[in-house]
Amino acid sequence: MLVLPAVAGLAFLVLPLAGLVIRAPWSTLPQRLAEPQVLEALRLSLVCATAATVVCVLCGVPLAWLLARVEFPGRRVVRALVTVPLVLPPVVGGVALLLVLGRRGLVGQWLESAFGITLPFTTLGVIVAEAFVAMPFLVISVEGALRAADRRFEEAAATLGASRWTVFRRVTLPLIMPGVVAGAVLCWARALGEFGATITFAGNFPGTTRTMPLAVYLALETDPDAAIVLSLVLLAVSVVVLASLRDRWVNSP
C-alpha cells in the first residue's frame, strides 16, 4: 500500500531535476561553462558558501551544545528562535539583516562609525546572509548528535581529572563528529543555493555579490539556455557533495 505513494513522491522530487538534464543544451555546454561570468559566479558561490559554513561551525557547534546540555529558563524559546530561519521566507531574512546590519541599522551604523565596516552590498554581506539562513541546519544536526551521544564517556573522562574543555575537545567532539560533518555539508549546500536573503541584503553586483542562484535568475530573463546550464552546475555540485561527503561520514561505522 505504501509503494504507490512512495513512487509518486519520488517522481515529484526527481522529475523536475530530470527536466534540467533533458533540456540542457549539451551541444553548447562547454562553451557556456567557459564564459567568464559563469566562472566568476561559480567561484564567488564556492568561496562565500565555504566561508559561511566556517562561520556556522564556529558559532553553531557551541550554540548546539548550549541547547543540548545546559538547562536555562527559556531554552525552548531560544531553540524556536534558532530554527526560525528554516521557515522564514529568505527575503524577510534579508530585510531583517538590513534593519540590523545595514548602514542605518541597529548594529550596522555602529560598525561603520567605529570600525568602518559596511556589510550590505558587499561580498562579506553575502557570507552573512548565507550564514543566517544555513546555520539552523548545523545546529539541529549537532544538537541531535549531542543528545544521542553516550555521556558516560564524558563522565569517565571528568572523573579522571580532565577539564571541561579537554572533555569537550577530546571526548565529546569526536563522538559527535559525524553529526557535525553532516550538518556542515547540509549547511554548505544550503548556503550555496541561497537567493532571497542574498539579493535583498547584498544585492546583485557582478564579481562582488552575484552568486550562482542570482546569475540563474538574471539569465532566465534573457537567456533561458544559460539559466539551465547554471542550474545544472548547481545541481551537479549539490548532488556530488551530498552523495559523497554525507554518505561517507554519516553512514560510516
Side-chain angles (χ1 to χ4, degrees):
M1 294 178 61
L2 298 178
V3 172
L4 186 59
V7 172
L10 179 63
F12 177 74
L13 295 175
V14 172
L15 284 179
L17 304 181
L20 282 176
V21 177
I22 296 173
R23 296 294 299 275
W26 294 104
S27 60
T28 61
L29 187 64
Q31 294 85 349
R32 291 183 179 275
L33 290 178
E35 293 179 357
Q37 59 270 23
V38 174
L39 297 177
E40 187 178 59
L42 180 60
R43 178 196 61 81
L44 185 64
S45 294
L46 295 176
V47 170
C48 290
T50 303
T53 302
V54 172
V55 173
C56 291
V57 170
L58 293 177
C59 298
V61 172
L63 178 56
W65 178 86
L66 181 70
L67 294 175
R69 296 294 175 83
V70 180
E71 295 283 348
F72 59 92
R75 185 171 66 167
R76 292 185 178 180
V77 176
V78 173
R79 182 180 291 111
L81 292 175
V82 168
T83 56
V84 162
L86 288 175
V87 296
L88 189 72
V91 174
V92 177
V95 173
L97 289 173
L98 275 176
L99 295 177
V100 175
L101 299 176
R103 293 182 177 180
R104 297 182 179 180
L106 299 176
V107 179
Q109 59 181 348
W110 174 75
L111 288 175
E112 186 173 13
S113 61
F115 303 101
I117 298 176
T118 302
L119 294 178
F121 310 110
T122 63
T123 303
L124 187 58
V126 176
I127 297 173
V128 171
E130 292 180 348
F132 175 77
V133 299
M135 188 179 294
F137 290 89
L138 178 75
V139 173
I140 290 175
S141 178
V142 175
E143 183 184 359
L146 283 167
R147 292 184 179 277
D150 192 343
R151 301 188 65 175
R152 291 177 297 178
F153 296 103
E154 298 172 316
E155 295 170 355
T159 57
L160 293 176
S163 64
R164 291 184 176 181
W165 171 245
T166 301
V167 171
F168 177 79
R169 183 170 54 89
R170 302 294 297 273
V171 179
T172 307
L173 200 56
L175 284 175
I176 66 171
M177 187 54 66
V180 174
V181 173
V185 170
L186 291 174
C187 181
W188 186 86
R190 178 64 185 88
L192 186 68
E194 169 50 33
F195 174 80
T198 301
I199 196 171
T200 306
F201 182 66
N204 185 15
F205 300 102
T208 304
T209 64
R210 182 176 294 171
T211 57
M212 288 290 285
L214 274 64
V216 170
Y217 176 77
L218 186 65
L220 191 61
E221 299 179 347
T222 58
D223 190 355
D225 285 344
I228 294 175
V229 170
L230 294 171
S231 300
L232 197 63
V233 172
L234 284 176
L235 175 63
V237 172
S238 300
V239 169
V240 168
V241 169
L242 291 176
S244 60
L245 298 185
R246 191 173 188 275
D247 287 344
R248 177 180 176 182
W249 277 291
V250 176
N251 295 332
S252 60

